[in-house]
Amino acid sequence: MQKLLDARFIYPISDSKWVSPLVLVPKKNGKWRICVDYKELNKATKKDDFPPPFIDQVLDGLVGKKFFSFLDRFSGNNQIQICLEDQDKTTSTCPWGTFAYRILPFVLCNDPATFQRAVLSIFAELVNDAVEIYMDDFTLYGCDFQEALTNLGKVLPKCIEMNLSLSPEKYEFLMTEGTVLQVDPKKIAIIQKVPPLQKQRDVRSFLGLARYY
């Protein structure tokens, strides 16, 4: 919580009508992730059906290309600010008080749609021409080294202009091969165990789960 406060992602609030409980989720590395259970807020939220890109569409855009650069946005959701009048709705409670988010927290039902819309609007002139984007995975390409270098020179200045942070551990420049949209078999297994969907709310919940994994 102190890290979130220091980063100015959250701030103390005392008069919110919306309060959700804090939960801790174990991570693979043995550490813990702080999440907020926004179940009730998500029920009351008008759903945004802006579609994620089709994976085959992304892959089709890379066919025949020879050089690739792979970028990953650092904490992508945390780079999108919430309108001031809506920040109180993200309030969470914990033993140290109640806190609201300035930035888009994880697990709000419209997170994926909001994020994808923002990214596509920023790179609208470059998508399908210099870069393919799936959520926070950016794949830049070129039919030859010079074209790939030129496209890299178009995308990186845009990131600087829009103040987008990239993850330094995950980028690779001008590679002849690499992994695109890598799938974790364990996460596929989780989705396969989901029981048959019976109602509309079950479908919405499943789509949220699928986007997360």
Side-chain angles (χ1 to χ4, degrees), residues 74-81 103-107 111-112 115:
F74 178 72
S75 298
N77 282 28
N78 296 159
Q79 299 183 50
I80 297 179
Q81 294 189 356
I103 49 83
L104 192 64
F106 189 59
V107 303
D111 276 3
F115 184 79

Side-chain angles (χ1 to χ4, degrees), residues 27-181:
K27 300 171 68 174
K28 292 181 185 177
N29 57 13
K31 296 182 179 180
W32 294 84
R33 183 195 305 276
I34 288 181
C35 297
V36 182
D37 182 1
Y38 285 122
K39 186 187 304 179
E40 297 304 317
L41 177 60
N42 285 336
K43 285 181 182 178
T45 300
K46 181 179 179 181
K47 303 305 183 287
D48 184 347
D49 294 320
F50 188 86
F54 291 106
I55 291 179
D56 55 347
Q57 235 177 347
V58 174
L59 298 178
D60 285 347
L62 305 178
V63 172
K65 307 304 187 293
K66 303 299 183 183
F67 288 87
F68 308 91
S69 295
F70 305 99
L71 309 178
D72 190 294
R73 286 185 63 182
F74 178 72
S75 298
N77 282 28
N78 296 159
Q79 299 183 50
I80 297 179
Q81 294 189 356
I82 298 176
C83 292
L84 182 60
E85 61 267 27
D86 290 321
Q87 290 178 6
D88 68 308
K89 297 180 178 68
T90 68
T91 300
S92 64
T93 182
C94 68
W96 303 281
T98 50
F99 301 88
Y101 275 85
R102 289 187 175 91
I103 49 83
L104 192 64
F106 189 59
V107 303
L108 286 180
C109 62
N110 287 335
D111 276 3
T114 301
F115 184 79
Q116 189 68 22
R117 180 186 284 106
V119 170
L120 290 182
S121 66
I122 291 171
F123 296 96
E125 298 177 357
L126 300 175
V127 173
N128 301 325
D129 181 54
V131 61
E132 296 294 336
I133 300 175
Y134 190 88
M135 301 304 290
D136 53 1
D137 288 325
F138 292 37
T139 305
L140 293 67
Y141 51 80
C143 293
D144 53 46
F145 183 87
Q146 187 55 52
E147 184 182 46
L149 183 61
T150 299
N151 288 339
L152 188 60
K154 294 177 181 178
V155 173
L156 290 182
K158 197 70 175 177
C159 292
I160 295 172
E161 176 190 346
M162 301 304 297
N163 197 30
L164 301 181
S165 299
L166 302 174
S167 177
E169 296 87 9
K170 297 182 180 180
Y171 59 65
E172 295 178 298
F173 292 140
L174 303 171
M175 310 293 289
T176 55
E177 61 180 33
T179 302
V180 180
L181 302 178

